[in-house]
């Protein structure tokens, strides 16, 4: 995370979890970035990332995993939409991509 | 009397070892135990290491080791039933090991791929849509707060 901040970059993580639940996760995993709560999956919908039917417990569909990198003007310059929820993007890949942006 | 007694002794010598003194077939419980630990330890421990998460380099060998031990249990129970007890248990434990191995391999190789295809919306995005959401401390965070900075936005499934 320090490496990412050194590149003048921030991280936002979005899920349908309630802020209370995200706080527990942030404390437990000592996360220093923002975990944003999108309980009705509205922003998830804006990004076209709803995973219909994957949440049998609640009303809102959960997000399928995806990661975007934005430049300083808010343009999406890089994205990854994995086909497997088990395999996660490596932080180093993101750091490399951030390094490519002015 | 003597000849008939010696005949009786001979007969008992060829009969199988009584059940009570046949050896315990430890691989019967060891096999499924190894399979179980091999599968469960992926989720509770090894998945935190990216290399071992992407492909279960440790968990797959452990699970298969468990199946192999279970195969030994089957061989002992059926091949050397004079020495080992527990045919039924050997079959049941083998069934358990095969089931759990299939579930684990199925999760890794198939179930975790069950994601919707990337939508046109996602693929077509070139400018991030504006949004304001609450963070873990109840603070409102908007995309525009980060204008002038580079930003990683990641969507995750969460714990609901």
């Amino acid at each position: 995370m320090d490496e990412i901040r050194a590149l003048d970059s921030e991280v936002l993580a979005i899920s349908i979890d309630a802020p209370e639940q995200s706080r527990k996760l942030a404390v437990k995993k000592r996360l220093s970035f923002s975990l944003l709560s999108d309980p009705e999956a509205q922003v998830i919908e804006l990004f076209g990332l709803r995973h219909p039917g994957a949440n049998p417990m609640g009303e809102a569909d959960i997000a399928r995993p995806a990661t975007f990198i934005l430049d300083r003007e808010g343009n999406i310059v890089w994205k990854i939409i994995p086909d497997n929820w088990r395999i996660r993007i490596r932080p180093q890949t993101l750091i490399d991509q951030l390094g490519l942006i002015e | 009397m003597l000849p008939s007694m010696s005949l009786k002794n001979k007969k008992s010598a060829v009969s199988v070892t009584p059940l009570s003194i046949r050896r315990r077939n430890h691989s019967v419980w060891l096999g499924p135990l190894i399979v179980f630990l091999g599968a469960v330890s992926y989720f509770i421990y090894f998945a935190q290491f990216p290399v071992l998460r992407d492909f279960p380099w440790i968990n797959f060998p452990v699970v298969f080791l468990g199946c192999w031990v279970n195969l030994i249990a089957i061989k002992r129970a059926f091949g050397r039933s004079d020495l080992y007890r527990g045919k039924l248990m050997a079959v049941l434990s083998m069934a358990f090991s095969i089931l759990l191995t299939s579930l684990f391999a199925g999760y890794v190789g198939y179930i975790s791929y069950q994601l919707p295809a990337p939508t046109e919306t996602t693929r077509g995005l070139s400018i991030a849509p504006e949004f304001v959401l609450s963070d873990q401390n109840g603070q409102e965070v908007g995309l525009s707060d980060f204008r002038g900075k580079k930003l990683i936005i990641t969507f995750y499934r969460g714990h609901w």
Side-chain angles (χ1 to χ4, degrees):
Chain A
M1 201 54 220
D2 290 340
E3 263 184 272
I4 291 173
R5 296 224 164 95
L7 291 161
D8 200 22
S9 311
E10 257 309 319
V11 174
L12 299 178
I14 301 174
S15 77
I16 68 161
D17 287 349
E20 182 55 27
Q21 183 145 25
S22 296
R23 204 166 55 80
K24 281 186 206 152
L25 180 69
V27 169
K28 193 176 155 204
K29 302 277 183 189
R30 298 204 192 102
L31 305 177
S32 62
F33 53 88
S34 295
L35 302 175
L36 302 184
S37 174
D38 184 16
E40 270 133 50
Q42 287 162 337
V43 177
I44 290 166
E45 176 66 40
L46 275 180
F47 281 79
L49 294 170
R50 280 192 318 114
H51 184 173
N55 180 4
M57 258 80 107
E59 306 101 69
D61 285 328
I62 63 169
R64 85 183 304 300
T67 299
F68 303 85
I69 294 181
L70 276 56
D71 68 9
R72 297 176 193 276
E73 282 79 51
N75 302 307
I76 294 170
V77 290
W78 187 88
K79 62 185 129 184
I80 186 162
I81 313 160
D83 65 352
N84 181 323
W85 71 68
R86 200 171 44 76
I87 295 171
R88 290 179 184 163
I89 176 109
R90 306 277 166 89
Q92 192 55 50
T93 310
L94 299 171
I95 291 166
D96 291 346
Q97 289 299 325
L98 288 170
L100 296 176
I101 308 171
E102 282 287 296
Chain B
M1 275 309 268
L2 261 169
S4 80
M5 262 185 77
S6 73
L7 196 75
K8 225 178 174 181
N9 280 342
K10 232 178 199 168
K11 204 181 168 191
S12 73
V14 290
S15 81
V16 290
T17 322
L19 196 66
S20 53
I21 61 160
R22 269 190 276 167
R23 268 189 267 170
R24 286 195 161 273
N25 192 352
H26 288 297
S27 42
V28 163
W29 57 266
L30 213 54
L33 181 68
I34 294 170
V35 172
F36 179 76
L37 293 177
V40 168
S41 64
Y42 176 81
F43 298 96
I44 63 174
Y45 185 71
F46 290 105
Q48 65 184 304
F49 307 104
V51 175
L52 302 177
R53 180 188 182 94
D54 292 356
F55 187 86
W57 295 108
I58 290 186
N59 300 88
F60 267 153
V62 172
V63 165
F64 290 130
L65 172 77
C67 287
W68 183 69
V69 170
N70 221 316
L71 219 55
I72 293 177
I74 291 276
K75 272 179 100 171
R76 280 181 176 171
F78 287 88
R80 301 297 309 275
S81 54
D82 54 327
L83 270 179
Y84 295 100
R85 36 199 285 205
K87 272 184 194 161
L88 181 65
M89 283 312 288
V91 170
L92 288 178
S93 78
M94 191 79 227
F96 173 84
S97 292
I98 289 173
L99 179 74
L100 201 58
T101 302
S102 316
L103 280 175
F104 182 57
Y107 174 77
V108 169
Y110 179 74
I111 297 170
S112 61
Y113 285 89
Q114 299 312 299
L115 284 176
T119 59
E120 285 304 318
T121 315
T122 310
R123 283 196 294 191
L125 281 179
S126 56
I127 298 168
E130 179 58 42
F131 60 81
V132 179
L133 290 173
S134 172
D135 75 2
Q136 67 266 40
N137 303 311
Q139 219 92 14
E140 300 273 287
V141 175
L143 186 62
S144 52
D145 302 347
F146 299 94
R147 205 61 23 112
K149 274 193 170 233
K150 296 183 257 184
L151 194 60
I152 297 171
I153 302 178
T154 188
F155 289 84
Y156 65 107
R157 296 166 68 79
H159 301 78
W160 336 328

